Amino acid sequence: MSFSNYLENEVLDHVTGKGAYTSPTNYVGLSSTTPNENGTGVTEPGAGAYARVTTSASDWNAASAGSIANANDLTFPTASADWVSGSNLTYVVVYDALTSGNMIYYGQLNTAKAVLNGDTAKIPAGSLTITLD
């Protein structure tokens, strides 16, 4: 996963004493389009009971060797309609708010996936890894 420009600036300001950054709640979402570092280019499903998954500290393992991964399955609501008709979901996006907000990181899914009516999308424990290079 890659940091967004927003998060890069917040971290740099924080570590140089130019500003304080408070760790936000992470809200995990899905996109059918390629995000840009400036937070644009994201197309999340807009219907069918789609909602970002709210995470807390207990949903993440402790960071090690510059990486951190989800400790628990991240399970989205069961789709009550096709989420992106005719398209696959191709990216995971993480925001600091349940709706709108600032994108903080994003990354491409290993396997593009359509979420159809009745499906329950899930990111299994240990499969969402955020790495600092």
Side-chain angles (χ1 to χ4, degrees):
M1 297 206 42
S2 299
F3 277 28
S4 67
N5 290 344
Y6 167 79
L7 184 60
E8 291 169 351
N9 292 333
E10 291 294 323
V11 169
L12 289 170
D13 283 347
H14 181 77
V15 299
T16 59
K18 296 298 289 180
Y21 182 69
T22 303
S23 176
T25 299
N26 285 223
Y27 299 90
V28 179
L30 299 168
S31 178
S32 62
T33 54
T34 304
N36 297 306
E37 280 194 16
N38 66 3
T40 63
V42 175
T43 304
E44 289 184 272
Y50 171 81
R52 294 175 185 163
V53 175
T54 305
T55 68
S56 64
S58 64
D59 290 310
W60 300 95
N61 294 313
S64 175
S67 292
I68 192 168
N70 59 314
N72 301 312
D73 291 349
L74 303 176
T75 305
F76 290 84
T78 300
S80 61
D82 296 355
W83 277 1
V84 184
S85 184
S87 296
N88 287 326
L89 294 161
T90 54
Y91 279 82
V92 63
V93 288
V94 181
Y95 285 86
D96 63 3
L98 186 57
T99 60
S100 298
N102 298 296
M103 183 180 71
I104 51 181
Y105 2 90
Y106 63 98
Q108 191 166 14
L109 296 170
N110 289 334
T111 304
K113 173 80 171 103
V115 177
L116 306 176
N117 189 12
D119 290 347
T120 302
K122 176 174 68 171
I123 300 171
S127 62
L128 179 58
T129 303
I130 303 162
T131 302
L132 289 175
D133 291 330

